[in-house]
Amino acid sequence: MSRIGKLPIAIPSGVTVNYSDNVVTVKGPKGELTQSIDPSISVTVENGQITFDMVEGATAEVKQQHAFHGLYRALVNNMVVGVSEGYKKELELVGVGYRASNQGNIIELSLGYSHNIFIQLPNEIKVETKSERNKNPLIILESCDKQLLGVVCAKIRSFRKPEPYKGKGIKFVGEEIRRKSGKSAGAK
């Protein structure tokens, strides 16, 4: 049995959780999220806690059922944290002339290509850009949906991944880039 799946999820104040027809709906001050649950997993919402159990005699294979047990518990926990506290990611643009600006939910990136890149973000994500003198530009993204936030950050990062020689590119704040040394004199 999954050790993560056994742990109950405490429901914070201001958050409501409903479970019906294999769909969990979580509402809170930051938004509303839904997640469908496999029928081989049963969900119980009572006494301010959410618990997950494996259904006996379910059609799913036992190994798959164990995997679902921990998976759905983790997904619902991320939803509860998201609607109560929210998630925040910061991206840093490292490189001479790299710039970022936004108008509403549209980000404009200048990354050394011949044209600027424009990205339309989903409405669930709030974006802010910071450009201070003698500091790398920052893109700050906030959302209640952890999965959507990760996908958007990965898409933005994919335009200019950090390279190992000079460290130029788009990286997460606090991320360590593995550096390589440049050319070395060859032995004859």
Side-chain angles (χ1 to χ4, degrees):
M1 195 170 189
S2 169
R3 285 182 236 155
I4 291 175
K6 289 180 186 178
L7 301 173
I9 301 170
I11 302 172
S13 60
V15 175
T16 58
V17 178
N18 294 323
Y19 176 69
S20 61
D21 300 328
N22 293 332
V23 175
V24 174
T25 305
V26 181
K27 291 182 188 176
K30 300 260 184 186
E32 177 181 348
L33 298 170
T34 59
Q35 174 67 47
S36 61
I37 305 289
D38 192 82
S40 66
I41 304 296
S42 68
V43 179
T44 311
V45 181
E46 61 186 14
N47 301 332
Q49 287 188 332
I50 309 166
T51 55
F52 295 83
D53 293 309
M54 292 186 281
V55 175
E56 292 293 326
T59 56
E61 290 184 34
V62 176
K63 193 171 184 180
Q64 183 66 49
Q65 192 177 15
H66 283 280
F68 281 156
H69 190 217
L71 169 74
Y72 288 121
R73 190 262 177 210
L75 290 176
V76 173
N77 185 51
N78 288 343
M79 291 165 54
V80 169
V81 172
V83 297
S84 60
E85 300 168 21
Y87 290 100
K88 181 178 180 179
K89 296 244 185 190
E90 295 183 2
L91 295 166
E92 183 179 8
L93 281 69
V94 180
V96 176
Y98 288 9
R99 289 188 304 277
S101 62
N102 71 304
Q103 280 105 27
N105 266 17
I106 298 175
I107 298 178
E108 179 182 358
L109 298 172
S110 176
L111 299 173
Y113 296 119
S114 61
H115 292 68
N116 290 349
I117 299 170
F118 293 89
I119 307 165
Q120 173 72 49
L121 297 180
N123 293 331
E124 295 87 11
I125 294 183
K126 294 182 186 108
V127 64
E128 179 187 348
T129 54
K130 287 185 181 178
S131 295
E132 295 179 20
R133 191 169 173 85
N134 296 331
K135 287 190 178 176
N136 292 328
L138 290 176
I139 302 171
I140 301 164
L141 301 164
E142 292 183 50
S143 178
C144 64
D145 192 345
K146 186 176 187 179
Q147 196 170 353
L148 178 65
L149 186 65
V151 168
V152 169
C153 286
K155 179 68 177 169
I156 292 171
R157 190 174 187 269
S158 72
F159 292 119
R160 210 35 125 171
K161 287 188 178 167
E163 54 96 19
Y165 297 101
K166 292 184 180 177
K168 291 170 54 174
I170 301 173
K171 68 180 188 101
F172 292 104
V173 172
E175 179 184 5
E176 290 292 323
I177 305 299
R178 244 174 119 189
R179 302 295 293 271
K180 293 182 180 178
S181 62
K183 292 181 185 175
S184 58
K188 290 187 179 183

PDB file of all heavy atoms in Angstrom, residues 5-44:
ATOM      1  N   GLY A   5      -0.323   7.663   0.029  1.00  0.00           N
ATOM      2  CA  GLY A   5      -1.773   7.540  -0.076  1.00  0.00           C
ATOM      3  C   GLY A   5      -2.464   7.361   1.262  1.00  0.00           C
ATOM      4  O   GLY A   5      -3.631   7.723   1.417  1.00  0.00           O
ATOM      5  N   LYS A   6      -1.770   6.794   2.245  1.00  0.00           N
ATOM      6  CA  LYS A   6      -2.362   6.576   3.569  1.00  0.00           C
ATOM      7  C   LYS A   6      -2.553   7.865   4.352  1.00  0.00           C
ATOM      8  O   LYS A   6      -3.399   7.935   5.229  1.00  0.00           O
ATOM      9  CB  LYS A   6      -1.465   5.658   4.407  1.00  0.00           C
ATOM     10  CG  LYS A   6      -1.445   4.231   3.971  1.00  0.00           C
ATOM     11  CD  LYS A   6      -0.521   3.456   4.906  1.00  0.00           C
ATOM     12  CE  LYS A   6      -0.328   2.035   4.455  1.00  0.00           C
ATOM     13  NZ  LYS A   6       0.599   1.312   5.326  1.00  0.00           N
ATOM     14  N   LEU A   7      -1.736   8.899   4.056  1.00  0.00           N
ATOM     15  CA  LEU A   7      -1.789  10.130   4.839  1.00  0.00           C
ATOM     16  C   LEU A   7      -3.069  10.911   4.560  1.00  0.00           C
ATOM     17  O   LEU A   7      -3.409  11.139   3.402  1.00  0.00           O
ATOM     18  CB  LEU A   7      -0.581  11.023   4.508  1.00  0.00           C
ATOM     19  CG  LEU A   7       0.796  10.439   4.759  1.00  0.00           C
ATOM     20  CD1 LEU A   7       1.863  11.378   4.212  1.00  0.00           C
ATOM     21  CD2 LEU A   7       1.002  10.230   6.240  1.00  0.00           C
ATOM     22  N   PRO A   8      -3.787  11.339   5.591  1.00  0.00           N
ATOM     23  CA  PRO A   8      -4.977  12.161   5.353  1.00  0.00           C
ATOM     24  C   PRO A   8      -4.570  13.600   5.013  1.00  0.00           C
ATOM     25  O   PRO A   8      -3.492  14.062   5.379  1.00  0.00           O
ATOM     26  CB  PRO A   8      -5.720  12.102   6.688  1.00  0.00           C
ATOM     27  CG  PRO A   8      -4.662  11.822   7.696  1.00  0.00           C
ATOM     28  CD  PRO A   8      -3.598  11.020   7.001  1.00  0.00           C
ATOM     29  N   ILE A   9      -5.450  14.307   4.302  1.00  0.00           N
ATOM     30  CA  ILE A   9      -5.207  15.709   3.956  1.00  0.00           C
ATOM     31  C   ILE A   9      -6.103  16.556   4.845  1.00  0.00           C
ATOM     32  O   ILE A   9      -7.326  16.386   4.859  1.00  0.00           O
ATOM     33  CB  ILE A   9      -5.541  15.985   2.477  1.00  0.00           C
ATOM     34  CG1 ILE A   9      -4.692  15.112   1.566  1.00  0.00           C
ATOM     35  CG2 ILE A   9      -5.347  17.462   2.149  1.00  0.00           C
ATOM     36  CD1 ILE A   9      -5.121  15.150   0.112  1.00  0.00           C
ATOM     37  N   ALA A  10      -5.504  17.474   5.607  1.00  0.00           N
ATOM     38  CA  ALA A  10      -6.281  18.387   6.444  1.00  0.00           C
ATOM     39  C   ALA A  10      -6.846  19.505   5.570  1.00  0.00           C
ATOM     40  O   ALA A  10      -6.137  20.072   4.747  1.00  0.00           O
ATOM     41  CB  ALA A  10      -5.407  18.968   7.548  1.00  0.00           C
ATOM     42  N   ILE A  11      -8.127  19.809   5.751  1.00  0.00           N
ATOM     43  CA  ILE A  11      -8.766  20.871   4.971  1.00  0.00           C
ATOM     44  C   ILE A  11      -8.660  22.170   5.762  1.00  0.00           C
ATOM     45  O   ILE A  11      -9.214  22.277   6.855  1.00  0.00           O
ATOM     46  CB  ILE A  11     -10.245  20.535   4.690  1.00  0.00           C
ATOM     47  CG1 ILE A  11     -10.355  19.203   3.946  1.00  0.00           C
ATOM     48  CG2 ILE A  11     -10.901  21.655   3.893  1.00  0.00           C
ATOM     49  CD1 ILE A  11     -11.762  18.693   3.795  1.00  0.00           C
ATOM     50  N   PRO A  12      -7.934  23.195   5.229  1.00  0.00           N
ATOM     51  CA  PRO A  12      -7.812  24.459   5.951  1.00  0.00           C
ATOM     52  C   PRO A  12      -9.133  25.236   5.963  1.00  0.00           C
ATOM     53  O   PRO A  12     -10.043  24.948   5.173  1.00  0.00           O
ATOM     54  CB  PRO A  12      -6.734  25.227   5.164  1.00  0.00           C
ATOM     55  CG  PRO A  12      -6.469  24.459   3.932  1.00  0.00           C
ATOM     56  CD  PRO A  12      -7.178  23.164   4.001  1.00  0.00           C
ATOM     57  N   SER A  13      -9.231  26.207   6.841  1.00  0.00           N
ATOM     58  CA  SER A  13     -10.455  27.006   6.905  1.00  0.00           C
ATOM     59  C   SER A  13     -10.582  27.846   5.637  1.00  0.00           C
ATOM     60  O   SER A  13      -9.594  28.309   5.075  1.00  0.00           O
ATOM     61  CB  SER A  13     -10.429  27.920   8.132  1.00  0.00           C
ATOM     62  OG  SER A  13      -9.327  28.791   8.058  1.00  0.00           O
ATOM     63  N   GLY A  14     -11.804  28.012   5.168  1.00  0.00           N
ATOM     64  CA  GLY A  14     -12.047  28.763   3.943  1.00  0.00           C
ATOM     65  C   GLY A  14     -12.006  27.914   2.689  1.00  0.00           C
ATOM     66  O   GLY A  14     -12.227  28.410   1.593  1.00  0.00           O
ATOM     67  N   VAL A  15     -11.714  26.617   2.834  1.00  0.00           N
ATOM     68  CA  VAL A  15     -11.644  25.707   1.681  1.00  0.00           C
ATOM     69  C   VAL A  15     -12.768  24.683   1.801  1.00  0.00           C
ATOM     70  O   VAL A  15     -12.982  24.109   2.871  1.00  0.00           O
ATOM     71  CB  VAL A  15     -10.273  24.990   1.624  1.00  0.00           C
ATOM     72  CG1 VAL A  15     -10.242  23.962   0.508  1.00  0.00           C
ATOM     73  CG2 VAL A  15      -9.155  25.992   1.444  1.00  0.00           C
ATOM     74  N   THR A  16     -13.506  24.480   0.697  1.00  0.00           N
ATOM     75  CA  THR A  16     -14.560  23.466   0.686  1.00  0.00           C
ATOM     76  C   THR A  16     -14.196  22.393  -0.334  1.00  0.00           C
ATOM     77  O   THR A  16     -13.693  22.698  -1.412  1.00  0.00           O
ATOM     78  CB  THR A  16     -15.927  24.071   0.311  1.00  0.00           C
ATOM     79  OG1 THR A  16     -15.815  24.692  -0.968  1.00  0.00           O
ATOM     80  CG2 THR A  16     -16.372  25.090   1.335  1.00  0.00           C
ATOM     81  N   VAL A  17     -14.435  21.135   0.035  1.00  0.00           N
ATOM     82  CA  VAL A  17     -14.115  19.995  -0.829  1.00  0.00           C
ATOM     83  C   VAL A  17     -15.381  19.180  -1.044  1.00  0.00           C
ATOM     84  O   VAL A  17     -16.068  18.827  -0.085  1.00  0.00           O
ATOM     85  CB  VAL A  17     -13.013  19.111  -0.192  1.00  0.00           C
ATOM     86  CG1 VAL A  17     -12.715  17.917  -1.067  1.00  0.00           C
ATOM     87  CG2 VAL A  17     -11.760  19.920   0.063  1.00  0.00           C
ATOM     88  N   ASN A  18     -15.704  18.902  -2.303  1.00  0.00           N
ATOM     89  CA  ASN A  18     -16.849  18.062  -2.649  1.00  0.00           C
ATOM     90  C   ASN A  18     -16.359  16.892  -3.489  1.00  0.00           C
ATOM     91  O   ASN A  18     -15.494  17.062  -4.339  1.00  0.00           O
ATOM     92  CB  ASN A  18     -17.887  18.856  -3.453  1.00  0.00           C
ATOM     93  CG  ASN A  18     -18.511  19.959  -2.629  1.00  0.00           C
ATOM     94  OD1 ASN A  18     -18.750  19.792  -1.444  1.00  0.00           O
ATOM     95  ND2 ASN A  18     -18.767  21.090  -3.261  1.00  0.00           N
ATOM     96  N   TYR A  19     -16.955  15.709  -3.248  1.00  0.00           N
ATOM     97  CA  TYR A  19     -16.630  14.522  -4.037  1.00  0.00           C
ATOM     98  C   TYR A  19     -17.927  13.876  -4.494  1.00  0.00           C
ATOM     99  O   TYR A  19     -18.749  13.481  -3.675  1.00  0.00           O
ATOM    100  CB  TYR A  19     -15.807  13.529  -3.205  1.00  0.00           C
ATOM    101  CG  TYR A  19     -15.511  12.238  -3.935  1.00  0.00           C
ATOM    102  CD1 TYR A  19     -14.657  12.226  -5.020  1.00  0.00           C
ATOM    103  CD2 TYR A  19     -16.097  11.037  -3.539  1.00  0.00           C
ATOM    104  CE1 TYR A  19     -14.378  11.045  -5.694  1.00  0.00           C
ATOM    105  CE2 TYR A  19     -15.824   9.852  -4.203  1.00  0.00           C
ATOM    106  CZ  TYR A  19     -14.967   9.871  -5.282  1.00  0.00           C
ATOM    107  OH  TYR A  19     -14.694   8.703  -5.948  1.00  0.00           O
ATOM    108  N   SER A  20     -18.114  13.811  -5.826  1.00  0.00           N
ATOM    109  CA  SER A  20     -19.285  13.125  -6.373  1.00  0.00           C
ATOM    110  C   SER A  20     -18.954  12.668  -7.785  1.00  0.00           C
ATOM    111  O   SER A  20     -18.244  13.355  -8.528  1.00  0.00           O
ATOM    112  CB  SER A  20     -20.505  14.047  -6.387  1.00  0.00           C
ATOM    113  OG  SER A  20     -20.258  15.169  -7.201  1.00  0.00           O
ATOM    114  N   ASP A  21     -19.453  11.494  -8.151  1.00  0.00           N
ATOM    115  CA  ASP A  21     -19.253  10.914  -9.486  1.00  0.00           C
ATOM    116  C   ASP A  21     -17.786  10.848  -9.881  1.00  0.00           C
ATOM    117  O   ASP A  21     -17.401  11.220 -10.987  1.00  0.00           O
ATOM    118  CB  ASP A  21     -20.037  11.702 -10.540  1.00  0.00           C
ATOM    119  CG  ASP A  21     -21.529  11.701 -10.267  1.00  0.00           C
ATOM    120  OD1 ASP A  21     -22.019  10.694  -9.721  1.00  0.00           O
ATOM    121  OD2 ASP A  21     -22.196  12.697 -10.602  1.00  0.00           O
ATOM    122  N   ASN A  22     -16.934  10.412  -8.951  1.00  0.00           N
ATOM    123  CA  ASN A  22     -15.489  10.259  -9.170  1.00  0.00           C
ATOM    124  C   ASN A  22     -14.802  11.561  -9.560  1.00  0.00           C
ATOM    125  O   ASN A  22     -13.797  11.555 -10.275  1.00  0.00           O
ATOM    126  CB  ASN A  22     -15.198   9.195 -10.229  1.00  0.00           C
ATOM    127  CG  ASN A  22     -15.595   7.815  -9.757  1.00  0.00           C
ATOM    128  OD1 ASN A  22     -15.598   7.539  -8.562  1.00  0.00           O
ATOM    129  ND2 ASN A  22     -15.937   6.942 -10.684  1.00  0.00           N
ATOM    130  N   VAL A  23     -15.312  12.707  -9.115  1.00  0.00           N
ATOM    131  CA  VAL A  23     -14.689  14.008  -9.370  1.00  0.00           C
ATOM    132  C   VAL A  23     -14.580  14.760  -8.048  1.00  0.00           C
ATOM    133  O   VAL A  23     -15.570  14.913  -7.331  1.00  0.00           O
ATOM    134  CB  VAL A  23     -15.507  14.841 -10.379  1.00  0.00           C
ATOM    135  CG1 VAL A  23     -14.915  16.227 -10.541  1.00  0.00           C
ATOM    136  CG2 VAL A  23     -15.568  14.143 -11.725  1.00  0.00           C
ATOM    137  N   VAL A  24     -13.358  15.215  -7.730  1.00  0.00           N
ATOM    138  CA  VAL A  24     -13.128  16.027  -6.534  1.00  0.00           C
ATOM    139  C   VAL A  24     -13.082  17.487  -6.961  1.00  0.00           C
ATOM    140  O   VAL A  24     -12.358  17.845  -7.890  1.00  0.00           O
ATOM    141  CB  VAL A  24     -11.793  15.638  -5.840  1.00  0.00           C
ATOM    142  CG1 VAL A  24     -11.481  16.578  -4.696  1.00  0.00           C
ATOM    143  CG2 VAL A  24     -11.850  14.214  -5.344  1.00  0.00           C
ATOM    144  N   THR A  25     -13.874  18.333  -6.286  1.00  0.00           N
ATOM    145  CA  THR A  25     -13.894  19.770  -6.548  1.00  0.00           C
ATOM    146  C   THR A  25     -13.432  20.486  -5.289  1.00  0.00           C
ATOM    147  O   THR A  25     -13.985  20.251  -4.205  1.00  0.00           O
ATOM    148  CB  THR A  25     -15.313  20.241  -6.927  1.00  0.00           C
ATOM    149  OG1 THR A  25     -15.774  19.469  -8.016  1.00  0.00           O
ATOM    150  CG2 THR A  25     -15.295  21.709  -7.318  1.00  0.00           C
ATOM    151  N   VAL A  26     -12.422  21.334  -5.423  1.00  0.00           N
ATOM    152  CA  VAL A  26     -11.875  22.079  -4.291  1.00  0.00           C
ATOM    153  C   VAL A  26     -12.047  23.560  -4.571  1.00  0.00           C
ATOM    154  O   VAL A  26     -11.593  24.056  -5.603  1.00  0.00           O
ATOM    155  CB  VAL A  26     -10.376  21.736  -4.080  1.00  0.00           C
ATOM    156  CG1 VAL A  26      -9.826  22.482  -2.888  1.00  0.00           C
ATOM    157  CG2 VAL A  26     -10.174  20.246  -3.909  1.00  0.00           C
ATOM    158  N   LYS A  27     -12.717  24.272  -3.650  1.00  0.00           N
ATOM    159  CA  LYS A  27     -12.921  25.716  -3.781  1.00  0.00           C
ATOM    160  C   LYS A  27     -12.250  26.409  -2.615  1.00  0.00           C
ATOM    161  O   LYS A  27     -12.308  25.941  -1.477  1.00  0.00           O
ATOM    162  CB  LYS A  27     -14.407  26.077  -3.767  1.00  0.00           C
ATOM    163  CG  LYS A  27     -15.173  25.628  -4.971  1.00  0.00           C
ATOM    164  CD  LYS A  27     -16.620  26.073  -4.867  1.00  0.00           C
ATOM    165  CE  LYS A  27     -17.439  25.464  -5.985  1.00  0.00           C
ATOM    166  NZ  LYS A  27     -18.868  25.787  -5.855  1.00  0.00           N
ATOM    167  N   GLY A  28     -11.623  27.549  -2.896  1.00  0.00           N
ATOM    168  CA  GLY A  28     -10.963  28.315  -1.853  1.00  0.00           C
ATOM    169  C   GLY A  28     -10.847  29.771  -2.244  1.00  0.00           C
ATOM    170  O   GLY A  28     -11.345  30.181  -3.303  1.00  0.00           O
ATOM    171  N   PRO A  29     -10.167  30.567  -1.431  1.00  0.00           N
ATOM    172  CA  PRO A  29     -10.049  32.003  -1.718  1.00  0.00           C
ATOM    173  C   PRO A  29      -9.269  32.312  -2.993  1.00  0.00           C
ATOM    174  O   PRO A  29      -9.489  33.334  -3.627  1.00  0.00           O
ATOM    175  CB  PRO A  29      -9.334  32.564  -0.485  1.00  0.00           C
ATOM    176  CG  PRO A  29      -8.733  31.397   0.206  1.00  0.00           C
ATOM    177  CD  PRO A  29      -9.540  30.201  -0.169  1.00  0.00           C
ATOM    178  N   LYS A  30      -8.362  31.420  -3.426  1.00  0.00           N
ATOM    179  CA  LYS A  30      -7.543  31.681  -4.619  1.00  0.00           C
ATOM    180  C   LYS A  30      -8.153  31.148  -5.906  1.00  0.00           C
ATOM    181  O   LYS A  30      -7.676  31.455  -6.990  1.00  0.00           O
ATOM    182  CB  LYS A  30      -6.146  31.072  -4.447  1.00  0.00           C
ATOM    183  CG  LYS A  30      -5.376  31.603  -3.271  1.00  0.00           C
ATOM    184  CD  LYS A  30      -4.389  32.634  -3.720  1.00  0.00           C
ATOM    185  CE  LYS A  30      -3.567  33.088  -2.526  1.00  0.00           C
ATOM    186  NZ  LYS A  30      -2.699  34.162  -2.845  1.00  0.00           N
ATOM    187  N   GLY A  31      -9.193  30.295  -5.812  1.00  0.00           N
ATOM    188  CA  GLY A  31      -9.803  29.768  -7.028  1.00  0.00           C
ATOM    189  C   GLY A  31     -10.505  28.445  -6.790  1.00  0.00           C
ATOM    190  O   GLY A  31     -10.739  28.033  -5.656  1.00  0.00           O
ATOM    191  N   GLU A  32     -10.830  27.776  -7.899  1.00  0.00           N
ATOM    192  CA  GLU A  32     -11.533  26.499  -7.855  1.00  0.00           C
ATOM    193  C   GLU A  32     -10.859  25.526  -8.818  1.00  0.00           C
ATOM    194  O   GLU A  32     -10.541  25.881  -9.952  1.00  0.00           O
ATOM    195  CB  GLU A  32     -12.995  26.697  -8.270  1.00  0.00           C
ATOM    196  CG  GLU A  32     -13.795  25.436  -8.323  1.00  0.00           C
ATOM    197  CD  GLU A  32     -15.236  25.667  -8.758  1.00  0.00           C
ATOM    198  OE1 GLU A  32     -15.689  26.824  -8.812  1.00  0.00           O
ATOM    199  OE2 GLU A  32     -15.891  24.660  -9.061  1.00  0.00           O
ATOM    200  N   LEU A  33     -10.629  24.281  -8.365  1.00  0.00           N
ATOM    201  CA  LEU A  33      -9.978  23.263  -9.178  1.00  0.00           C
ATOM    202  C   LEU A  33     -10.773  21.961  -9.097  1.00  0.00           C
ATOM    203  O   LEU A  33     -11.393  21.665  -8.070  1.00  0.00           O
ATOM    204  CB  LEU A  33      -8.545  23.011  -8.697  1.00  0.00           C
ATOM    205  CG  LEU A  33      -7.574  24.186  -8.771  1.00  0.00           C
ATOM    206  CD1 LEU A  33      -6.287  23.858  -8.042  1.00  0.00           C
ATOM    207  CD2 LEU A  33      -7.280  24.531 -10.217  1.00  0.00           C
ATOM    208  N   THR A  34     -10.724  21.177 -10.181  1.00  0.00           N
ATOM    209  CA  THR A  34     -11.386  19.871 -10.189  1.00  0.00           C
ATOM    210  C   THR A  34     -10.406  18.810 -10.662  1.00  0.00           C
ATOM    211  O   THR A  34      -9.489  19.098 -11.421  1.00  0.00           O
ATOM    212  CB  THR A  34     -12.617  19.858 -11.122  1.00  0.00           C
ATOM    213  OG1 THR A  34     -12.183  20.187 -12.440  1.00  0.00           O
ATOM    214  CG2 THR A  34     -13.676  20.833 -10.672  1.00  0.00           C
ATOM    215  N   GLN A  35     -10.617  17.575 -10.205  1.00  0.00           N
ATOM    216  CA  GLN A  35      -9.766  16.449 -10.595  1.00  0.00           C
ATOM    217  C   GLN A  35     -10.622  15.194 -10.626  1.00  0.00           C
ATOM    218  O   GLN A  35     -11.306  14.883  -9.651  1.00  0.00           O
ATOM    219  CB  GLN A  35      -8.619  16.270  -9.588  1.00  0.00           C
ATOM    220  CG  GLN A  35      -7.766  15.048  -9.815  1.00  0.00           C
ATOM    221  CD  GLN A  35      -6.958  15.133 -11.097  1.00  0.00           C
ATOM    222  OE1 GLN A  35      -6.334  16.138 -11.366  1.00  0.00           O
ATOM    223  NE2 GLN A  35      -6.987  14.073 -11.876  1.00  0.00           N
ATOM    224  N   SER A  36     -10.587  14.466 -11.741  1.00  0.00           N
ATOM    225  CA  SER A  36     -11.307  13.195 -11.807  1.00  0.00           C
ATOM    226  C   SER A  36     -10.451  12.114 -11.139  1.00  0.00           C
ATOM    227  O   SER A  36      -9.228  12.136 -11.241  1.00  0.00           O
ATOM    228  CB  SER A  36     -11.629  12.827 -13.245  1.00  0.00           C
ATOM    229  OG  SER A  36     -10.445  12.688 -13.987  1.00  0.00           O
ATOM    230  N   ILE A  37     -11.105  11.187 -10.464  1.00  0.00           N
ATOM    231  CA  ILE A  37     -10.432  10.134  -9.707  1.00  0.00           C
ATOM    232  C   ILE A  37     -10.799   8.781 -10.319  1.00  0.00           C
ATOM    233  O   ILE A  37     -11.955   8.557 -10.679  1.00  0.00           O
ATOM    234  CB  ILE A  37     -10.867  10.165  -8.217  1.00  0.00           C
ATOM    235  CG1 ILE A  37     -10.641  11.539  -7.595  1.00  0.00           C
ATOM    236  CG2 ILE A  37     -10.168   9.086  -7.412  1.00  0.00           C
ATOM    237  CD1 ILE A  37      -9.213  11.913  -7.353  1.00  0.00           C
ATOM    238  N   ASP A  38      -9.827   7.883 -10.429  1.00  0.00           N
ATOM    239  CA  ASP A  38     -10.068   6.543 -10.952  1.00  0.00           C
ATOM    240  C   ASP A  38     -11.049   5.803 -10.025  1.00  0.00           C
ATOM    241  O   ASP A  38     -10.961   5.934  -8.802  1.00  0.00           O
ATOM    242  CB  ASP A  38      -8.734   5.789 -11.032  1.00  0.00           C
ATOM    243  CG  ASP A  38      -8.855   4.521 -11.827  1.00  0.00           C
ATOM    244  OD1 ASP A  38      -8.804   4.601 -13.073  1.00  0.00           O
ATOM    245  OD2 ASP A  38      -9.007   3.449 -11.203  1.00  0.00           O
ATOM    246  N   PRO A  39     -11.970   5.017 -10.582  1.00  0.00           N
ATOM    247  CA  PRO A  39     -12.954   4.305  -9.745  1.00  0.00           C
ATOM    248  C   PRO A  39     -12.339   3.301  -8.769  1.00  0.00           C
ATOM    249  O   PRO A  39     -13.001   2.884  -7.822  1.00  0.00           O
ATOM    250  CB  PRO A  39     -13.843   3.579 -10.764  1.00  0.00           C
ATOM    251  CG  PRO A  39     -13.600   4.228 -12.065  1.00  0.00           C
ATOM    252  CD  PRO A  39     -12.248   4.854 -12.011  1.00  0.00           C
ATOM    253  N   SER A  40     -11.092   2.895  -8.980  1.00  0.00           N
ATOM    254  CA  SER A  40     -10.463   1.937  -8.064  1.00  0.00           C
ATOM    255  C   SER A  40     -10.021   2.588  -6.751  1.00  0.00           C
ATOM    256  O   SER A  40      -9.562   1.895  -5.850  1.00  0.00           O
ATOM    257  CB  SER A  40      -9.268   1.263  -8.744  1.00  0.00           C
ATOM    258  OG  SER A  40      -8.253   2.208  -9.004  1.00  0.00           O
ATOM    259  N   ILE A  41     -10.160   3.916  -6.641  1.00  0.00           N
ATOM    260  CA  ILE A  41      -9.797   4.653  -5.425  1.00  0.00           C
ATOM    261  C   ILE A  41     -11.054   5.307  -4.863  1.00  0.00           C
ATOM    262  O   ILE A  41     -11.790   5.981  -5.588  1.00  0.00           O
ATOM    263  CB  ILE A  41      -8.737   5.740  -5.724  1.00  0.00           C
ATOM    264  CG1 ILE A  41      -7.499   5.141  -6.374  1.00  0.00           C
ATOM    265  CG2 ILE A  41      -8.370   6.521  -4.470  1.00  0.00           C
ATOM    266  CD1 ILE A  41      -6.735   4.155  -5.516  1.00  0.00           C
ATOM    267  N   SER A  42     -11.306   5.109  -3.568  1.00  0.00           N
ATOM    268  CA  SER A  42     -12.460   5.762  -2.935  1.00  0.00           C
ATOM    269  C   SER A  42     -11.975   6.948  -2.112  1.00  0.00           C
ATOM    270  O   SER A  42     -10.915   6.900  -1.483  1.00  0.00           O
ATOM    271  CB  SER A  42     -13.218   4.776  -2.040  1.00  0.00           C
ATOM    272  OG  SER A  42     -12.429   4.443  -0.923  1.00  0.00           O
ATOM    273  N   VAL A  43     -12.750   8.017  -2.135  1.00  0.00           N
ATOM    274  CA  VAL A  43     -12.399   9.251  -1.434  1.00  0.00           C
ATOM    275  C   VAL A  43     -13.455   9.511  -0.372  1.00  0.00           C
ATOM    276  O   VAL A  43     -14.652   9.416  -0.634  1.00  0.00           O
ATOM    277  CB  VAL A  43     -12.339  10.443  -2.420  1.00  0.00           C
ATOM    278  CG1 VAL A  43     -11.998  11.722  -1.696  1.00  0.00           C
ATOM    279  CG2 VAL A  43     -11.337  10.170  -3.520  1.00  0.00           C
ATOM    280  N   THR A  44     -12.998   9.853   0.842  1.00  0.00           N
ATOM    281  CA  THR A  44     -13.902  10.170   1.940  1.00  0.00           C
ATOM    282  C   THR A  44     -13.572  11.562   2.462  1.00  0.00           C
ATOM    283  O   THR A  44     -12.415  11.841   2.775  1.00  0.00           O
ATOM    284  CB  THR A  44     -13.753   9.145   3.089  1.00  0.00           C
ATOM    285  OG1 THR A  44     -13.806   7.831   2.543  1.00  0.00           O
ATOM    286  CG2 THR A  44     -14.829   9.317   4.129  1.00  0.00           C
TER     287      THR A  44
END
